[in-house]
Amino acid sequence: MAGKAAVRKKAPATKKRGRLSPRREKRGLDAADIALGLDGADVAPLVAEVRAAGGAALGAYREPLSGRALLLAALPVDAVEPTPFQRDLSPTHTKRLAAKIEEAGSFLDPLIVVRGEDGKLWTPNGRHRLAAAKVLGLKQVTALVSPDEDLAFRILALNTEKAHNLKDRSLEVIRMARSLAKRRPGSKEAEFTAEFEAPELLTLGIVYERNGRFAGGAYSPFLKKVDRFSDRTLAVSLRSREAYAARLEGIDAQVKRIIEGLQSRGFKSPYLRAYVVARINPVRFHKLKKGETKPPMPIGEALTRMAAGAKKFNLDSVRTADLALVAAVAGGEE
Protein backbone atom coordinates (compact mmCIF):
# COMPACT_ATOMS: atom_id res chain seq x y z
CA MET A 1 0.00 0.00 0.00
CA ALA A 2 1.33 3.43 -0.97
CA GLY A 3 2.75 5.55 1.88
CA LYS A 4 2.51 2.76 4.34
CA ALA A 5 4.93 0.03 5.16
CA ALA A 6 3.60 -3.32 4.23
CA VAL A 7 2.58 -5.26 7.30
CA ARG A 8 3.26 -8.95 7.17
CA LYS A 9 1.11 -11.25 9.19
CA LYS A 10 2.98 -13.67 11.34
CA ALA A 11 2.43 -17.28 10.49
CA PRO A 12 0.50 -19.07 13.23
CA ALA A 13 2.82 -20.86 15.58
CA THR A 14 2.81 -24.59 15.07
CA LYS A 15 1.87 -26.57 18.13
CA LYS A 16 4.74 -28.68 19.36
CA ARG A 17 4.05 -32.31 19.90
CA GLY A 18 4.14 -33.49 23.45
CA ARG A 19 7.41 -35.16 24.30
CA LEU A 20 8.12 -37.92 26.74
CA SER A 21 10.22 -36.46 29.53
CA PRO A 22 12.37 -39.01 31.36
CA ARG A 23 12.06 -38.84 35.14
CA ARG A 24 14.99 -36.89 36.58
CA GLU A 25 15.20 -38.94 39.74
CA LYS A 26 16.04 -42.54 38.99
CA ARG A 27 14.17 -45.18 40.95
CA GLY A 28 14.18 -48.94 41.42
CA LEU A 29 16.93 -51.41 42.13
CA ASP A 30 20.56 -51.54 41.09
CA ALA A 31 21.80 -54.48 39.04
CA ALA A 32 23.49 -56.08 42.04
CA ASP A 33 20.21 -56.01 43.97
CA ILE A 34 18.20 -57.63 41.18
CA ALA A 35 20.08 -60.91 40.96
CA LEU A 36 18.75 -63.77 43.13
CA GLY A 37 19.78 -67.37 43.68
CA LEU A 38 17.32 -70.24 43.38
CA ASP A 39 17.96 -71.23 46.99
CA GLY A 40 16.79 -67.87 48.39
CA ALA A 41 13.92 -67.80 50.87
CA ASP A 42 11.90 -65.48 48.60
CA VAL A 43 11.74 -67.96 45.74
CA ALA A 44 12.02 -71.33 47.48
CA PRO A 45 8.21 -71.86 47.63
CA LEU A 46 7.92 -70.96 43.94
CA VAL A 47 10.72 -73.37 43.02
CA ALA A 48 8.93 -76.14 44.93
CA GLU A 49 5.64 -75.41 43.14
CA VAL A 50 7.27 -75.43 39.74
CA ARG A 51 9.00 -78.74 40.39
CA ALA A 52 5.79 -80.27 41.76
CA ALA A 53 4.06 -79.28 38.52
CA GLY A 54 6.70 -81.09 36.48
CA GLY A 55 8.65 -78.00 35.50
CA ALA A 56 12.12 -76.66 36.10
CA ALA A 57 13.35 -73.46 37.77
CA LEU A 58 15.70 -71.61 35.42
CA GLY A 59 16.60 -68.49 37.35
CA ALA A 60 15.38 -65.87 39.78
CA TYR A 61 15.55 -62.10 40.15
CA ARG A 62 13.91 -59.15 41.85
CA GLU A 63 11.55 -57.15 39.67
CA PRO A 64 13.36 -53.79 39.25
CA LEU A 65 10.46 -51.52 40.24
CA SER A 66 8.91 -53.13 43.32
CA GLY A 67 11.70 -55.48 44.34
CA ARG A 68 9.38 -58.51 44.41
CA ALA A 69 10.97 -61.86 43.68
CA LEU A 70 10.20 -63.48 40.32
CA LEU A 71 11.10 -66.95 39.11
CA LEU A 72 11.89 -67.76 35.49
CA ALA A 73 10.73 -71.30 34.89
CA ALA A 74 9.85 -73.92 32.32
CA LEU A 75 6.35 -75.31 32.90
CA PRO A 76 4.43 -78.15 31.24
CA VAL A 77 1.80 -76.68 28.92
CA ASP A 78 -0.94 -78.71 30.62
CA ALA A 79 0.02 -77.38 34.08
CA VAL A 80 -1.03 -73.80 33.25
CA GLU A 81 -4.57 -72.49 32.86
CA PRO A 82 -5.86 -69.03 31.88
CA THR A 83 -7.61 -67.11 34.64
CA PRO A 84 -11.33 -67.99 34.57
CA PHE A 85 -12.40 -64.37 34.16
CA GLN A 86 -10.16 -63.71 31.13
CA ARG A 87 -11.62 -62.71 27.76
CA ASP A 88 -12.84 -65.49 25.48
CA LEU A 89 -10.31 -67.26 23.30
CA SER A 90 -10.14 -66.14 19.66
CA PRO A 91 -9.44 -69.22 17.49
CA THR A 92 -8.49 -66.97 14.56
CA HIS A 93 -5.95 -65.04 16.62
CA THR A 94 -4.60 -68.27 18.13
CA LYS A 95 -4.02 -69.88 14.73
CA ARG A 96 -2.36 -66.72 13.41
CA LEU A 97 -0.14 -66.49 16.49
CA ALA A 98 0.84 -70.16 16.25
CA ALA A 99 1.73 -69.69 12.57
CA LYS A 100 3.92 -66.67 13.38
CA ILE A 101 5.71 -68.51 16.20
CA GLU A 102 6.32 -71.45 13.84
CA GLU A 103 7.56 -69.05 11.19
CA ALA A 104 9.96 -67.35 13.63
CA GLY A 105 11.09 -70.71 14.96
CA SER A 106 11.01 -69.39 18.54
CA PHE A 107 8.58 -69.14 21.45
CA LEU A 108 10.10 -65.99 22.95
CA ASP A 109 7.58 -64.33 25.27
CA PRO A 110 7.25 -65.99 28.69
CA LEU A 111 3.79 -66.23 30.21
CA ILE A 112 3.05 -64.45 33.48
CA VAL A 113 2.01 -67.12 35.97
CA VAL A 114 0.60 -66.83 39.49
CA ARG A 115 -0.88 -69.24 42.00
CA GLY A 116 -4.61 -69.55 41.39
CA GLU A 117 -7.43 -71.21 43.28
CA ASP A 118 -7.04 -74.81 44.52
CA GLY A 119 -3.29 -74.72 43.92
CA LYS A 120 -3.63 -74.23 40.17
CA LEU A 121 -1.18 -72.20 38.11
CA TRP A 122 -2.92 -69.34 36.33
CA THR A 123 -1.75 -67.08 33.53
CA PRO A 124 -3.61 -63.75 33.57
CA ASN A 125 -2.17 -62.45 30.29
CA GLY A 126 -1.11 -65.38 28.13
CA ARG A 127 -4.26 -67.20 27.08
CA HIS A 128 -3.54 -66.96 23.35
CA ARG A 129 0.15 -67.79 23.69
CA LEU A 130 -0.74 -70.81 25.83
CA ALA A 131 -3.31 -71.97 23.27
CA ALA A 132 -0.82 -71.38 20.46
CA ALA A 133 1.72 -73.53 22.31
CA LYS A 134 -0.85 -76.34 22.42
CA VAL A 135 -1.57 -75.93 18.71
CA LEU A 136 2.17 -76.26 18.05
CA GLY A 137 2.38 -79.31 20.30
CA LEU A 138 4.93 -77.82 22.71
CA LYS A 139 5.71 -79.80 25.84
CA GLN A 140 6.89 -76.83 27.90
CA VAL A 141 6.51 -73.06 27.93
CA THR A 142 8.65 -70.48 29.67
CA ALA A 143 7.00 -68.43 32.38
CA LEU A 144 7.68 -65.67 34.88
CA VAL A 145 6.20 -67.00 38.10
CA SER A 146 5.15 -64.36 40.61
CA PRO A 147 4.21 -64.88 44.28
CA ASP A 148 1.82 -61.92 44.00
CA GLU A 149 -1.54 -63.66 43.47
CA ASP A 150 -3.36 -60.33 43.15
CA LEU A 151 -1.44 -59.68 39.94
CA ALA A 152 -4.11 -61.77 38.22
CA PHE A 153 -6.57 -58.93 38.87
CA ARG A 154 -4.25 -56.09 37.84
CA ILE A 155 -2.91 -57.42 34.58
CA LEU A 156 -5.66 -56.05 32.32
CA ALA A 157 -4.09 -52.59 32.18
CA LEU A 158 -0.75 -54.12 31.09
CA ASN A 159 -2.15 -56.51 28.49
CA THR A 160 -1.08 -55.52 25.00
CA GLU A 161 -0.94 -59.01 23.49
CA LYS A 162 -4.17 -58.47 21.55
CA ALA A 163 -6.10 -55.23 21.69
CA HIS A 164 -9.24 -55.51 23.80
CA ASN A 165 -12.43 -54.35 22.16
CA LEU A 166 -15.33 -53.17 24.32
CA LYS A 167 -16.87 -56.63 24.55
CA ASP A 168 -13.55 -58.27 25.53
CA ARG A 169 -12.85 -55.68 28.21
CA SER A 170 -16.37 -55.77 29.61
CA LEU A 171 -16.51 -59.57 29.86
CA GLU A 172 -13.09 -59.77 31.46
CA VAL A 173 -13.97 -57.08 34.02
CA ILE A 174 -17.30 -58.64 35.06
CA ARG A 175 -15.69 -62.09 35.40
CA MET A 176 -12.95 -60.53 37.48
CA ALA A 177 -15.56 -58.83 39.68
CA ARG A 178 -17.45 -62.08 40.27
CA SER A 179 -14.24 -63.84 41.22
CA LEU A 180 -13.21 -61.06 43.61
CA ALA A 181 -16.68 -61.04 45.19
CA LYS A 182 -16.11 -64.68 46.21
CA ARG A 183 -12.49 -64.28 47.25
CA ARG A 184 -13.06 -61.08 49.24
CA PRO A 185 -16.72 -61.02 50.25
CA GLY A 186 -16.48 -57.86 52.36
CA SER A 187 -14.62 -55.77 49.79
CA LYS A 188 -16.27 -52.72 48.25
CA GLU A 189 -16.51 -52.20 44.52
CA ALA A 190 -14.78 -48.83 44.72
CA GLU A 191 -11.64 -50.55 46.08
CA PHE A 192 -10.98 -52.02 42.64
CA THR A 193 -11.13 -48.97 40.39
CA ALA A 194 -7.68 -49.71 38.95
CA GLU A 195 -8.54 -53.34 38.23
CA PHE A 196 -11.93 -52.61 36.64
CA GLU A 197 -10.79 -49.50 34.70
CA ALA A 198 -14.29 -48.04 34.24
CA PRO A 199 -17.64 -48.65 36.01
CA GLU A 200 -19.65 -48.97 32.80
CA LEU A 201 -17.59 -52.04 31.85
CA LEU A 202 -19.20 -53.91 34.77
CA THR A 203 -22.72 -53.09 33.60
CA LEU A 204 -21.98 -53.80 29.95
CA GLY A 205 -20.22 -57.04 30.91
CA ILE A 206 -23.41 -58.39 32.46
CA VAL A 207 -25.35 -57.61 29.28
CA TYR A 208 -22.65 -59.22 27.11
CA GLU A 209 -22.84 -62.35 29.27
CA ARG A 210 -26.51 -62.65 28.35
CA ASN A 211 -26.20 -61.47 24.76
CA GLY A 212 -22.86 -61.65 22.99
CA ARG A 213 -24.24 -59.70 20.03
CA PHE A 214 -25.29 -56.70 22.14
CA ALA A 215 -24.33 -53.36 20.55
CA GLY A 216 -22.60 -52.01 23.64
CA GLY A 217 -20.76 -49.30 21.72
CA ALA A 218 -24.01 -47.43 21.17
CA TYR A 219 -24.71 -47.24 24.92
CA SER A 220 -21.18 -46.72 26.20
CA PRO A 221 -21.21 -42.88 25.83
CA PHE A 222 -24.44 -42.74 27.85
CA LEU A 223 -23.14 -45.03 30.60
CA LYS A 224 -19.84 -43.15 30.86
CA LYS A 225 -21.79 -40.11 32.02
CA VAL A 226 -24.04 -41.79 34.60
CA ASP A 227 -22.33 -45.00 35.77
CA ARG A 228 -20.04 -44.73 38.78
CA PHE A 229 -18.22 -47.15 41.09
CA SER A 230 -20.20 -48.02 44.21
CA ASP A 231 -19.15 -47.82 47.85
CA ARG A 232 -21.19 -50.93 48.57
CA THR A 233 -19.74 -54.43 48.70
CA LEU A 234 -19.10 -56.16 45.41
CA ALA A 235 -21.87 -58.69 46.00
CA VAL A 236 -24.47 -56.00 46.68
CA SER A 237 -23.25 -53.79 43.84
CA LEU A 238 -23.35 -56.65 41.36
CA ARG A 239 -27.00 -57.30 42.21
CA SER A 240 -27.78 -53.67 41.45
CA ARG A 241 -25.88 -53.90 38.20
CA GLU A 242 -27.85 -57.01 37.24
CA ALA A 243 -30.97 -54.86 37.49
CA TYR A 244 -29.37 -52.02 35.47
CA ALA A 245 -28.33 -54.52 32.80
CA ALA A 246 -31.85 -55.95 32.57
CA ARG A 247 -33.27 -52.44 32.11
CA LEU A 248 -30.67 -51.71 29.45
CA GLU A 249 -31.72 -54.87 27.60
CA GLY A 250 -35.33 -53.71 27.77
CA ILE A 251 -34.36 -50.35 26.31
CA ASP A 252 -32.40 -52.05 23.54
CA ALA A 253 -35.48 -54.12 22.68
CA GLN A 254 -37.40 -50.86 22.23
CA VAL A 255 -34.55 -49.44 20.15
CA LYS A 256 -34.69 -52.48 17.86
CA ARG A 257 -38.44 -51.90 17.42
CA ILE A 258 -37.79 -48.26 16.49
CA ILE A 259 -35.06 -49.26 14.03
CA GLU A 260 -37.39 -51.76 12.35
CA GLY A 261 -40.00 -49.01 12.05
CA LEU A 262 -37.50 -46.65 10.46
CA GLN A 263 -36.28 -49.33 8.08
CA SER A 264 -39.84 -50.01 6.97
CA ARG A 265 -40.03 -46.32 6.04
CA GLY A 266 -36.99 -46.56 3.82
CA PHE A 267 -34.18 -45.57 6.20
CA LYS A 268 -31.24 -47.91 5.57
CA SER A 269 -28.36 -46.08 7.30
CA PRO A 270 -25.86 -48.19 9.30
CA TYR A 271 -26.03 -45.43 11.91
CA LEU A 272 -29.69 -45.95 12.80
CA ARG A 273 -28.94 -47.44 16.22
CA ALA A 274 -26.45 -44.71 17.12
CA TYR A 275 -28.99 -42.09 16.05
CA VAL A 276 -31.89 -43.59 18.00
CA VAL A 277 -29.85 -44.15 21.17
CA ALA A 278 -28.53 -40.57 20.98
CA ARG A 279 -32.08 -39.24 20.61
CA ILE A 280 -33.32 -41.02 23.75
CA ASN A 281 -30.16 -40.35 25.79
CA PRO A 282 -31.29 -38.03 28.62
CA VAL A 283 -27.76 -36.72 29.22
CA ARG A 284 -26.64 -36.35 25.59
CA PHE A 285 -26.11 -32.59 25.94
CA HIS A 286 -24.13 -32.86 29.17
CA LYS A 287 -20.40 -32.48 28.59
CA LEU A 288 -18.18 -34.19 31.12
CA LYS A 289 -15.68 -31.76 32.58
CA LYS A 290 -12.15 -32.77 33.41
CA GLY A 291 -12.02 -34.24 36.90
CA GLU A 292 -15.82 -34.36 37.19
CA THR A 293 -16.94 -37.26 39.39
CA LYS A 294 -20.59 -36.59 40.14
CA PRO A 295 -22.93 -37.83 37.40
CA PRO A 296 -25.46 -35.41 35.89
CA MET A 297 -28.15 -37.75 37.23
CA PRO A 298 -28.23 -41.14 39.01
CA ILE A 299 -28.02 -44.13 36.69
CA GLY A 300 -31.42 -45.42 37.82
CA GLU A 301 -33.13 -42.15 36.93
CA ALA A 302 -31.24 -41.95 33.63
CA LEU A 303 -32.39 -45.44 32.62
CA THR A 304 -35.98 -44.57 33.53
CA ARG A 305 -35.89 -41.46 31.33
CA MET A 306 -34.22 -43.35 28.53
CA ALA A 307 -36.89 -46.05 28.59
CA ALA A 308 -39.60 -43.39 28.54
CA GLY A 309 -37.91 -41.69 25.58
CA ALA A 310 -37.86 -44.98 23.67
CA LYS A 311 -41.56 -45.61 24.30
CA LYS A 312 -42.65 -42.20 23.01
CA PHE A 313 -40.17 -42.02 20.12
CA ASN A 314 -41.86 -40.38 17.12
CA LEU A 315 -40.89 -42.03 13.84
CA ASP A 316 -42.28 -39.08 11.90
CA SER A 317 -39.68 -36.77 13.46
CA VAL A 318 -36.74 -38.51 11.76
CA ARG A 319 -35.19 -36.76 8.76
CA THR A 320 -32.58 -38.03 6.33
CA ALA A 321 -30.42 -34.99 7.11
CA ASP A 322 -30.32 -36.03 10.79
CA LEU A 323 -28.85 -39.42 9.88
CA ALA A 324 -26.34 -37.77 7.54
CA LEU A 325 -25.12 -35.66 10.46
CA VAL A 326 -24.75 -38.73 12.69
CA ALA A 327 -22.78 -40.46 9.92
CA ALA A 328 -20.48 -37.43 9.58
CA VAL A 329 -19.82 -37.30 13.32
CA ALA A 330 -19.19 -41.03 13.50
CA GLY A 331 -16.82 -40.83 10.55
CA GLY A 332 -14.88 -38.03 12.22
CA GLU A 333 -14.54 -40.02 15.44
CA GLU A 334 -13.20 -43.02 13.54
Side-chain angles (χ1 to χ4, degrees), residues 50-314:
V50 166
R51 289 173 177 168
L58 306 176
Y61 67 94
R62 292 192 185 281
E63 185 270 308
L65 180 61
S66 69
R68 293 191 185 95
L70 291 175
L71 180 68
L72 177 63
L75 287 168
V77 168
D78 295 335
V80 184
E81 299 178 10
T83 50
F85 40 80
Q86 217 170 136
R87 62 182 167 184
D88 295 332
L89 185 75
S90 167
T92 301
H93 179 63
T94 300
K95 291 176 184 177
R96 187 184 302 121
L97 182 59
K100 292 300 180 182
I101 293 173
E102 184 81 77
E103 185 180 309
S106 301
F107 189 98
L108 295 175
D109 297 327
L111 310 181
I112 304 298
V113 170
V114 297
R115 186 189 296 107
E117 294 176 356
D118 302 324
K120 297 176 182 177
L121 293 175
W122 281 357
T123 176
N125 81 327
R127 182 168 203 162
H128 288 90
R129 275 172 288 157
L130 182 63
K134 292 180 179 180
V135 169
L136 292 168
L138 295 185
K139 298 177 182 178
Q140 303 272 329
V141 289
T142 50
L144 287 177
V145 187
S146 171
D148 182 9
E149 297 178 25
D150 289 342
L151 191 62
F153 301 98
R154 297 198 301 269
I155 205 71
L156 178 61
L158 299 175
N159 194 333
T160 56
E161 181 187 87
K162 173 178 176 283
H164 283 59
N165 57 32
L166 182 62
K167 178 182 175 182
D168 286 338
R169 292 167 63 209
S170 300
L171 284 172
E172 187 160 343
V173 165
I174 191 60
R175 291 167 184 170
M176 194 185 300
R178 295 195 193 286
S179 179
L180 284 167
K182 292 179 181 178
R183 289 166 65 99
R184 305 178 188 177
S187 298
K188 296 180 180 179
E189 183 183 272
E191 295 175 19
F192 302 101
T193 56
E195 289 83 352
F196 298 156
E197 286 196 7
E200 68 271 10
L201 296 180
L202 291 162
T203 304
L204 287 172
I206 295 172
V207 184
Y208 277 123
E209 284 180 325
R210 299 170 178 172
N211 178 12
R213 298 177 65 84
F214 178 68
Y219 297 92
S220 180
F222 158 71
L223 289 173
K224 283 180 182 294
K225 293 182 179 181
V226 298
D227 205 344
R228 296 292 184 271
F229 287 117
S230 170
D231 287 327
R232 293 174 295 178
T233 64
L234 268 172
V236 173
S237 179
L238 287 175
R239 285 197 291 271
S240 296
R241 291 189 180 279
E242 293 278 356
Y244 297 151
R247 295 175 67 183
L248 203 57
E249 286 181 289
I251 291 169
D252 192 53
Q254 292 294 322
V255 169
K256 289 178 182 177
R257 175 187 59 78
I258 296 169
I259 291 173
E260 290 172 359
L262 291 172
Q263 288 174 336
S264 68
R265 296 182 176 216
F267 291 99
K268 302 298 181 183
S269 171
Y271 300 102
L272 280 176
R273 174 174 270 99
Y275 170 75
V276 173
V277 172
R279 277 278 301 271
I280 64 175
N281 180 355
V283 293
R284 64 185 180 278
F285 297 121
H286 179 84
K287 292 185 178 180
L288 287 174
K289 298 177 182 178
K290 188 176 181 180
E292 183 179 2
T293 58
K294 186 178 180 180
M297 68 176 66
I299 184 172
E301 180 184 345
L303 288 168
T304 298
R305 293 193 183 189
M306 197 175 204
K311 287 181 180 179
K312 64 182 182 182
F313 191 95
N314 183 6

